[in-house]
Amino acid sequence: MKPIQIAEGIYHVGVNDWNIEDFHGYSTPLGTTYNAFLIVDEKNVLIDTVKAEFGDRLIANISQVVDPHSIDMVISNHTEMDHTGSLARIMHLIGEDKPLYCSKMGAKNIKQHFSNKFNYQPVKNGQTLEIGRRSLTFLETRMLHWPDSMFTYVNQDRILFSSDAFGQHYAGFEIYDDVVGGKIMWHARKYFANILMLYSPLILKLLAKVKEMNLEIEMICPDHGILWRKNPASIIEAYQRWSNQVAEDKAVVVYDTMWHSTEKMADAIAEGIADQQVEVRPMYLRKWHRSDIMTDVIDAEAVVVGSPTLNNGLVPTVSDFLTYMKGLKPVGKLGAAFGSYGWSGESVKLINKALEEMKFEVIQSPMRVQFVPGKDDLESAYEFGCDIGRRIKES
Ligand code: FEO
């Protein structure tokens, strides 16, 4: 990707990572981007850097706009290494005495990652920095999604550099919402569901704070994916909805199977749910990645989980999914368990226990079948699904 002028004197100098497939447990089939931005003013400012292995490309992009040595200061909105992997190299190139603006926690974290020697300039929430024709205002966004996270707002251009927030793991030459089109919202939802959902209460507070500040926003520039220039309000509204975890009449049936018995139960349960006019999709864990399932869980009223009993426990894919979902803290869901077994049959109890730990409202009579479900068992599974569907409609 070449540098792209996104506003007069403001450039996107980040890079596409086409080949990344897995972002610590999150599937990224379309790759991602590491966005970095250069403001050319009386002071030249670099906002964020890129993953270490893309440092050459970042420097090449900057060099097409200005001599990198002319960068007067760097702003680090977030310490995670997809945005600071090239920071030490940039600081070394431009001069380690040049100021490095970041939050107080950012200074602490960057020191622990890289170097004590940089000229740290910790900033406070609302602090403003003059850089010539423009001034920048910093907004602390602690725990969104790290303790160091912050935003940088360009007052004159009304551009918000939002670090990870409002991002998507989507690599492409189309860098704007109006160019890529509506499909980007699914990627933004996946990103929210897998990275930010657990911080929903904090996001609601942040959105309220931004509203109070009457911050006019013409463009939102996250550190991953496309920039929101046509309709930045659309992603803010979506964050409001997702943070409230507003549920639809929808269920997700997540399962693994050994000899198709739990699969047959999953299909019958889903059919029962669907017959109550509730949207439902059986999601087989060997087909669907956990991060894609979470993208559906976010607005589902019910999560129904199935596993055969294996070695007195759960099939590993189901354990993996439950652990992953627990960490992301979905709230207000109805939960239910099902599964086949041979002789001991612990799986449904273990699933119910896990769902209770997540504070789901759990149906206390899980659906369990020994070995292979017969006609009556499948009718019971269908009725189990109908019951779940009715509860969803009533809620
Ligand atoms: Fe994109 Fe939290 O790093």
Side-chain angles (χ1 to χ4, degrees):
M1 188 188 279
K2 294 177 192 159
I4 298 168
Q5 185 161 227
I6 61 170
E8 193 189 340
I10 304 182
Y11 298 82
H12 182 314
V13 289
V15 300
N16 276 313
D17 183 352
W18 300 104
N19 293 334
I20 186 168
E21 290 181 291
D22 182 290
F23 204 99
H24 37 63
Y26 172 148
S27 69
T28 53
L30 298 180
T32 192
T33 72
Y34 312 114
N35 299 342
F37 302 94
L38 179 67
I39 304 177
V40 178
D41 206 308
E42 285 172 27
K43 302 284 184 194
N44 293 335
V45 183
L46 179 66
I47 301 179
D48 292 326
T49 72
V50 301
K51 232 178 179 181
E53 55 264 45
F54 295 92
D56 285 345
R57 292 193 217 171
L58 171 66
I59 292 166
N61 282 347
I62 294 168
S63 302
Q64 289 187 52
V65 184
V66 297
D67 177 351
H69 298 96
S70 74
I71 291 174
D72 296 291
M73 57 187 70
V74 175
I75 294 169
S76 173
N77 278 331
H78 174 33
T79 309
E80 196 164 8
M81 282 195 277
D82 46 336
H83 311 297
T84 57
S86 305
L87 179 65
R89 188 169 166 196
I90 289 285
M91 295 310 294
H92 187 67
L93 178 70
I94 68 173
E96 290 184 358
D97 57 331
K98 300 260 180 88
L100 172 57
Y101 291 90
C102 54
S103 66
K104 190 175 164 194
M105 281 306 292
K108 182 171 177 279
N109 290 352
I110 296 169
K111 280 177 197 172
Q112 288 178 317
H113 276 72
F114 305 108
S115 171
N116 234 342
K117 292 182 192 162
F118 302 145
N119 177 11
Y120 291 97
Q121 298 291 325
V123 296
K124 291 187 178 148
N125 187 51
Q127 188 173 326
T128 295
L129 175 69
E130 303 292 334
I131 60 167
R133 288 195 302 110
R134 297 176 178 87
S135 61
L136 311 178
T137 299
F138 303 107
L139 279 88
E140 270 190 301
T141 59
R142 201 174 161 81
M143 290 319 298
L144 295 177
H145 69 128
W146 275 26
D148 50 64
S149 299
M150 67 175 200
F151 293 172
T152 300
Y153 178 70
V154 186
N155 291 292
Q156 289 69 21
D157 301 272
R158 294 182 283 277
I159 296 177
L160 183 69
F161 294 100
S162 62
S163 182
D164 277 334
F166 311 118
Q168 336 85 49
H169 284 312
Y170 180 90
F173 291 112
E174 329 88 312
I175 70 154
Y176 297 113
D177 53 347
D178 50 303
V179 180
V180 76
K183 68 181 179 187
I184 201 62
M185 211 38 110
W186 185 86
H187 296 279
R189 188 165 84 154
K190 179 172 177 178
Y191 188 95
F192 182 94
N194 287 278
I195 294 179
L196 295 166
M197 180 159 59
L198 68 163
Y199 302 116
S200 292
L202 289 175
I203 292 169
L204 288 171
K205 280 187 191 163
L206 173 71
L207 294 176
K209 191 164 89 179
V210 170
K211 203 171 174 186
E212 264 173 35
M213 291 169 76
N214 281 326
L215 217 56
E216 285 181 48
I217 299 175
E218 280 191 12
M219 193 179 339
I220 297 177
C221 300
D223 273 356
H224 297 289
I226 60 94
L227 318 182
W228 305 92
R229 76 172 174 187
K230 184 177 181 202
N231 192 3
S234 66
I235 189 64
I236 293 175
E237 283 158 13
Y239 266 48
Q240 189 87 39
R241 198 166 59 251
W242 297 332
S243 301
N244 277 311
Q245 298 197 30
V246 177
E248 309 287 336
D249 282 353
K250 175 178 168 183
V252 178
V253 177
V254 188
Y255 71 98
D256 199 350
T257 194
M258 288 166 66
W259 295 104
H260 302 292
S261 292
T262 303
E263 178 186 358
K264 286 175 187 161
M265 295 170 74
D267 290 353
I269 292 167
E271 196 170 338
I273 294 172
D275 280 354
Q276 303 305 309
Q277 286 71 54
V278 170
E279 179 189 343
V280 62
R281 179 177 294 279
M283 302 184 96
Y284 177 37
L285 278 159
R286 290 174 196 274
K287 172 182 174 180
W288 292 90
H289 194 273
R290 61 174 94 80
S291 55
D292 290 322
I293 296 173
M294 287 311 299
T295 312
D296 266 321
V297 163
I298 192 168
D299 62 351
E301 183 77 37
V303 184
V304 187
V305 182
S307 174
T309 295
L310 175 69
N311 302 331
N312 305 112
L314 298 172
V315 170
T317 49
V318 178
S319 300
D320 170 281
F321 172 72
L322 289 169
T323 302
Y324 188 71
M325 179 163 71
K326 184 180 179 184
L328 290 168
K329 295 189 171 67
V331 296
K333 308 288 181 200
L334 176 68
F338 66 98
S340 68
Y341 68 103
W343 45 97
S344 57
E346 291 90 343
S347 68
V348 290
K349 280 188 194 158
L350 292 168
I351 293 169
N352 265 8
K353 184 166 177 282
L355 296 176
E356 280 164 1
E357 285 170 4
M358 291 179 230
K359 300 192 170 40
F360 284 21
E361 182 195 334
V362 177
I363 294 177
Q364 291 302 330
S365 47
M367 176 79 210
R368 200 172 73 136
V369 169
Q370 190 164 21
F371 290 118
V372 178
K375 187 170 173 290
D376 289 350
D377 296 318
L378 291 175
E379 278 177 15
S380 297
Y382 172 81
E383 286 303 326
F384 186 67
C386 288
D387 181 41
I388 294 168
R390 279 191 291 270
R391 288 183 193 224
I392 292 171
K393 294 298 274 190
E394 285 163 10
S395 69

Coordinates of all heavy atoms in Angstrom, one line a residue, residues 23 78 80 82-83 145-146 164 169 191 223-224, ligand 1:
F23 N -5.2 -14.1 14.5 CA -4.8 -13.0 15.3 C -5.0 -13.4 16.8 O -6.1 -13.2 17.3 CB -5.5 -11.8 15.0 CG -4.8 -10.5 15.3 CD1 -4.1 -9.8 14.3 CD2 -4.9 -10.0 16.6 CE1 -3.5 -8.6 14.7 CE2 -4.2 -8.8 16.9 CZ -3.5 -8.1 16.0
H78 N -1.5 3.3 21.6 CA -1.7 1.9 22.2 C -0.4 1.1 22.1 O 0.3 1.2 21.1 CB -2.8 1.3 21.4 CG -3.2 -0.2 21.8 ND1 -3.0 -0.7 23.0 CD2 -3.6 -1.2 21.0 CE1 -3.4 -1.9 23.0 NE2 -3.8 -2.3 21.8
E80 N 0.1 -2.3 22.3 CA 0.2 -3.6 21.7 C 1.1 -3.6 20.5 O 1.1 -2.7 19.7 CB -1.2 -4.2 21.4 CG -1.1 -5.7 21.2 CD -2.5 -6.4 21.3 OE1 -3.6 -5.7 21.4 OE2 -2.5 -7.6 21.4
D82 N 1.3 -4.9 17.6 CA 0.9 -4.6 16.2 C 1.0 -3.2 15.8 O 1.0 -2.8 14.7 CB -0.5 -5.2 15.8 CG -1.5 -5.0 16.9 OD1 -1.2 -4.7 18.0 OD2 -2.7 -5.0 16.5
H83 N 1.1 -2.3 16.9 CA 1.2 -0.9 16.6 C 2.5 -0.2 17.2 O 2.7 0.9 16.9 CB 0.0 -0.1 17.3 CG -1.3 -0.8 16.9 ND1 -1.8 -0.8 15.6 CD2 -2.2 -1.5 17.7 CE1 -2.9 -1.5 15.6 NE2 -3.2 -1.9 16.8
H145 N -8.6 -1.2 24.4 CA -8.9 -2.4 25.2 C -7.7 -2.8 26.1 O -7.7 -3.9 26.7 CB -9.2 -3.6 24.3 CG -8.0 -4.1 23.4 ND1 -7.6 -5.4 23.4 CD2 -7.1 -3.5 22.7 CE1 -6.6 -5.6 22.6 NE2 -6.3 -4.4 22.2
W146 N -6.7 -1.9 26.2 CA -5.6 -2.1 27.2 C -5.6 -0.9 28.2 O -6.2 0.2 27.8 CB -4.3 -2.1 26.4 CG -3.9 -3.5 25.9 CD1 -4.7 -4.5 25.6 CD2 -2.6 -4.0 25.6 NE1 -4.0 -5.6 25.1 CE2 -2.7 -5.3 25.1 CE3 -1.3 -3.4 25.8 CZ2 -1.5 -6.0 24.8 CZ3 -0.2 -4.1 25.4 CH2 -0.3 -5.4 24.9
D164 N -7.5 0.9 18.4 CA -8.1 -0.4 18.0 C -9.7 -0.2 17.8 O -10.3 -1.0 17.1 CB -7.9 -1.5 19.0 CG -6.6 -2.2 18.8 OD1 -6.1 -2.2 17.7 OD2 -6.0 -2.7 19.8
H169 N -10.6 -6.4 11.1 CA -9.5 -7.1 10.4 C -9.8 -7.3 9.0 O -10.5 -8.3 8.6 CB -9.2 -8.4 11.2 CG -8.5 -8.2 12.5 ND1 -7.4 -7.3 12.6 CD2 -8.7 -8.6 13.7 CE1 -6.9 -7.3 13.8 NE2 -7.7 -8.1 14.5
Y191 N -15.0 -8.0 14.8 CA -14.0 -7.4 15.6 C -14.5 -7.0 17.0 O -13.8 -7.3 18.0 CB -13.5 -6.1 14.8 CG -12.3 -5.5 15.4 CD1 -11.0 -5.8 14.9 CD2 -12.3 -4.5 16.4 CE1 -9.9 -5.2 15.4 CE2 -11.2 -3.9 16.9 CZ -10.0 -4.2 16.4 OH -8.9 -3.6 16.9
D223 N -6.9 1.8 13.8 CA -5.6 1.3 13.5 C -5.7 0.0 12.7 O -4.7 -0.6 12.3 CB -4.8 1.0 14.7 CG -4.0 2.3 15.2 OD1 -4.1 3.3 14.4 OD2 -3.4 2.3 16.2
H224 N -6.9 -0.5 12.4 CA -7.1 -1.7 11.6 C -8.3 -1.5 10.6 O -9.3 -1.0 11.1 CB -7.5 -3.0 12.4 CG -6.4 -3.4 13.4 ND1 -5.2 -4.0 13.0 CD2 -6.4 -3.3 14.7 CE1 -4.5 -4.3 14.1 NE2 -5.2 -3.9 15.1
Ligands
FEO1 FE1 -4.4 -3.8 17.3 FE2 -4.6 -4.0 20.7 O1 -3.8 -4.0 19.0

